[in-house]
Amino acid sequence: VPIFELDNLKAAQAIRDREVDVLINLNGHFGRSRSQLFGLRPAPVQVNYLGFPGTFGAAYLDYIVADPTVIPDVARIHYVEKVVRLPHSYQANDSKRKVAEGVTRADAGLPEGRFVFCCMNNAYKIVPAVFDVWMRLLAQVPDSVLMLYSDVPEAQVNLRHEAGERGVNPERILFGAPWANERHLARLRLCDLFLDTWPYNAHTTGSDALWAGLPVVTCMGPGFPSRVGASLLRAVGLPELVTETFADYEALALRLATDRTALAELRRRLAVQLPSAPLYDTPRYTRHLEAAFRMMTERARLGLAPMAFDVPAAP
């Protein structure tokens, strides 16, 4: 039922007329938010899911879908919503996505024979403290380059300028423009190591990289968006790539960039584990999410208030 052209009152009435049980907010404060619609309470259960990695801060959203990594027990107090945790990772993924064949480094504008660090997160996630780490890594790995994601000329000029200010040849900063998903995944596969951002980690870009077989080094912080990288890595069986300080993050990335045998073994393990990794077991993830929605609606039908709970892992 398209509601794009309906105002909030008419959209709320359409939801009530169809007796929708669970209304899911996929945008939060991002994009074309319809927050006022949720404020009209058109459904008995209203859920903050997937799009906004934090509390919405409004009592009219009953639940937030998370996992034990992104919202540990000690962090529940910071959420207006009741926290419902799925096993493994909260993030949904499609296990049938294809990686394009035949894409070369030349096609992607990457140099042959050089070590390629990359971060394909939106450039606005890059903060100076993390960029400092990246530039130190380039200085310590002389044959390396760093590919970032941007097709905005001003961003490219500024980032290269900042590299020069830190004593790194600006030409070692490369930029990847938006590509169709299959080719983008192939481009990720051509890189050597993905460096995560902080305090807002890679989300979709992180699961893209891992699906392409590219290891991700992350630094975990206290909040939901700074813990997504850890959630993804734990759900593919690579918890050793999760760090908690910039010093450890830099040291791990440097070790992998200078010990190519260890990095090759890591990539081999990732390739072996992908087919059975919970992060990409879409049918199992679906059972977990459906179980969460059933438990939410059962409480609502019994007239019980929303309650935090953990969904048990399905076989």
Side-chain angles (χ1 to χ4, degrees), residues 201-216:
N201 292 167
H203 292 209
T204 302
T205 47
S207 51
D208 283 350
L210 293 168
W211 182 244
L214 176 62
V216 175

Side-chain angles (χ1 to χ4, degrees), residues 119 121-126 131 134-135 146-164 166 170 173-178:
C119 179
N121 295 352
N122 283 310
Y124 55 69
K125 290 186 179 182
I126 301 171
F131 196 74
W134 295 353
M135 294 306 100
L146 172 64
M147 180 172 66
L148 302 176
Y149 177 78
S150 177
D151 62 349
V152 179
E154 293 87 351
Q156 295 179 10
V157 168
N158 289 339
L159 287 164
R160 282 183 167 145
H161 169 79
E162 291 300 322
R166 289 160 175 80
I173 310 297
L174 311 177
F175 293 97

Side-chain angles (χ1 to χ4, degrees), residues 162-182:
E162 291 300 322
E165 289 291 298
R166 289 160 175 80
V168 173
N169 182 350
E171 298 304 313
R172 294 175 67 188
I173 310 297
L174 311 177
F175 293 97
W179 273 12
N181 192 253
E182 289 186 12

Side-chain angles (χ1 to χ4, degrees), residues 222-246:
F224 191 138
S226 65
R227 303 177 71 86
V228 172
S231 171
L232 302 179
L233 285 163
R234 289 171 178 174
V236 294
L238 295 178
E240 66 268 35
L241 297 185
V242 179
T243 65
E244 297 187 35
T245 68
F246 285 169

